[in-house]
Amino acid sequence: MSGSNLTGFYQYPGRAAREVAQLTLHDAAVTLHVDAGTQAWPLAELTVSDALGDIPLSLTFADGGRFVPADDTLFRQWYFRHRRPGLIHRLEQHKRGVLAMLFGSVLAGVFYVWCLLPLLSNLIAQQLPVSIEQQLGRYSATYLESQGLTQSKLSATRQQQLQTLFREVIPEDMRDRPGLRLRIMHFPMGANAFMLPDGTLILSDQLVQLAKSDDALAAVMLHETGHYRYRHSMQMVVRSSLISITMMWVMGDVSGVGDTLLQSAVLLNEMRFSRSMESEADEFALEEMQRQGRSLTAMLQIFTALGEDGKEESKWALPDWLSTHPAMEERLEAIRNAAQ
């Protein structure tokens, strides 16, 4: 097959445009014919794409130029005479190999998402400096204000009472943490509360009105403080970044890693903590409520009210097995058991 000519398309290094070109196949070498001239390349200096099904092979030259032959069958016959096909191509020739690769890929994906990703997220999040938390917190607060969150409409006296309550419920070993503070705001979306990465607890006017007692509000404050104690927000940011970077690596596009890291600082009202994180925050709140001698009946009241409020806001909900949050009834049952 030496001396055979192939027509195809050539793309110059660093340019998107391509032109019609010819490639002459020799023994362990090729000659490229383009408008700019003719150049010979030994096979050792060529990079040929992996053979995946019927996807045409492409050649990348040492200078970065790229050639895609129009007659892929002819090029494959010549190429496989000089180089052994890759493992993936050989596996594709056998159904069992395809099934084995598919099964292995699924297992690897499940292991990465359910085992390796949470572990890496936790390890990395614990090592991140406080300055990153503070920067993400400021960014999140600015975004929330742009989405319609405004200053609290509660009286100054009531707001001061809530600030005092917040200082009282914070565990002693956390009171020296920088940035831990309460911010009361009016939400357009109703009763809600969440902790920003920098330790700012956002509490809505509507949630305050929904609570029947200060102990109920203390339960919410402690739950969100549990998220901050275990750095759940940072874990979610790291996890989102790792997933994005992994997808770009799989797709072969790593040029936007920096932008992706910034975009992965997803705001907390758009993030959903995992079941384990929610359960961990619940357990922290339960232990602190009991240690401080606060009413678990009040905790049960506010969680029940929040569950009912959530049902009214959304007529369609994910089934429990698909939701990242533990089922509300599951959480309420845990509180009832603790109270007994």
Side-chain angles (χ1 to χ4, degrees):
M1 201 172 295
S2 176
S4 300
N5 291 325
L6 285 176
T7 302
F9 293 96
Y10 178 73
Q11 183 177 358
Y12 287 93
R15 291 170 54 184
R18 60 180 188 172
E19 67 178 43
V20 176
Q22 271 200 336
L23 192 73
T24 302
L25 305 176
H26 309 286
D27 286 332
V30 299
T31 300
L32 177 66
H33 307 275
V34 293
D35 291 344
T38 300
Q39 185 172 2
W41 297 91
L43 183 57
E45 295 184 15
L46 301 180
T47 300
V48 179
S49 60
D50 292 329
L52 298 174
D54 296 328
I55 299 176
L57 300 182
S58 62
L59 296 81
T60 302
F61 301 95
D63 63 353
R66 186 167 173 267
F67 179 84
V68 179
D71 191 341
D72 183 64
T73 302
L74 180 60
F75 178 74
R76 284 182 183 236
Q77 291 174 358
W78 172 85
Y79 180 64
F80 291 152
R81 286 182 55 200
H82 297 85
R83 280 189 182 176
R84 187 183 181 192
L87 176 61
I88 295 178
H89 177 74
R90 297 198 301 272
L91 287 174
E92 284 184 335
Q93 310 309 308
H94 307 280
K95 291 184 178 180
R96 290 183 180 179
V98 174
L99 292 175
M101 288 293 293
L102 179 62
F103 184 68
S105 299
V106 172
L107 284 181
V110 170
F111 174 76
Y112 177 73
V113 171
W114 291 98
C115 300
L116 190 58
L117 192 59
L119 178 63
L120 289 175
S121 300
N122 183 39
L123 290 175
I124 296 174
Q126 299 303 328
Q127 302 302 318
L128 291 176
V130 175
S131 59
I132 295 181
E133 289 183 342
Q134 295 172 341
Q135 183 177 356
L136 290 177
R138 289 193 296 269
Y139 174 73
S140 300
T142 301
Y143 176 83
L144 290 174
E145 291 174 358
S146 71
Q147 295 302 303
L149 273 72
T150 58
Q151 294 299 319
S152 173
K153 301 184 186 310
L154 300 178
S155 67
T157 301
R158 183 54 176 152
Q159 291 188 52
Q160 186 56 49
Q161 291 173 346
L162 294 172
Q163 293 290 348
T164 301
L165 176 64
F166 180 69
R167 289 192 294 270
E168 291 175 351
V169 301
I170 297 301
E172 291 183 8
D173 63 338
M174 294 186 64
R175 290 177 183 174
D176 59 346
R177 291 200 179 187
L180 194 58
R181 66 191 182 102
L182 172 65
R183 187 175 180 186
I184 309 162
M185 303 188 75
H186 186 81
F187 284 27
M189 71 284 289
N192 209 337
F194 45 83
M195 182 70 75
L196 299 185
D198 64 347
T200 301
L201 170 58
I202 306 293
L203 190 68
S204 73
D205 290 351
Q206 295 89 327
L207 189 146
V208 174
Q209 295 164 352
L210 198 63
K212 300 296 185 183
S213 66
D214 280 357
D215 278 358
L217 290 171
V220 174
M221 292 177 179
L222 286 169
H223 173 86
E224 297 302 329
T225 302
H227 284 310
Y228 181 64
R229 184 186 190 92
Y230 301 114
R231 305 190 85 174
H232 289 160
S233 301
M234 298 306 299
Q235 289 186 45
M236 293 300 291
V237 169
V238 172
R239 185 176 303 186
S240 176
S241 300
L242 288 176
I243 291 175
S244 299
I245 293 172
T246 300
M247 290 302 298
M248 291 198 313
W249 177 73
V250 170
M251 301 300 293
D253 178 16
V254 295
S255 59
V257 170
D259 291 338
T260 300
L261 288 174
L262 293 175
Q263 295 168 4
S264 294
V266 186
L267 300 165
L268 294 188
N269 67 320
E270 295 178 354
M271 293 193 326
R272 306 194 70 187
F273 291 120
S274 68
R275 283 177 174 262
S276 60
M277 291 179 180
E278 289 293 344
S279 297
E280 194 171 31
D282 281 349
E283 291 173 6
F284 173 82
L286 277 170
E287 291 175 2
E288 280 299 317
M289 289 286 287
Q290 292 174 314
R291 190 186 65 80
Q292 297 178 21
R294 296 186 181 276
S295 170
L296 294 188
T297 301
M299 184 176 185
L300 192 63
Q301 177 268 316
I302 190 61
F303 275 48
T304 302
L306 286 171
E308 293 299 324
D309 189 65
K311 289 180 182 178
E312 292 178 3
E313 289 182 6
S314 178
K315 296 182 179 179
W316 182 88
L318 291 173
D320 294 339
W321 60 268
L322 192 57
S323 174
T324 59
H325 280 60
M328 181 55 72
E329 186 56 40
E330 205 176 292
R331 303 172 72 179
L332 297 177
E333 186 62 30
I335 300 173
R336 295 190 191 101
N337 292 336
Q340 294 173 0

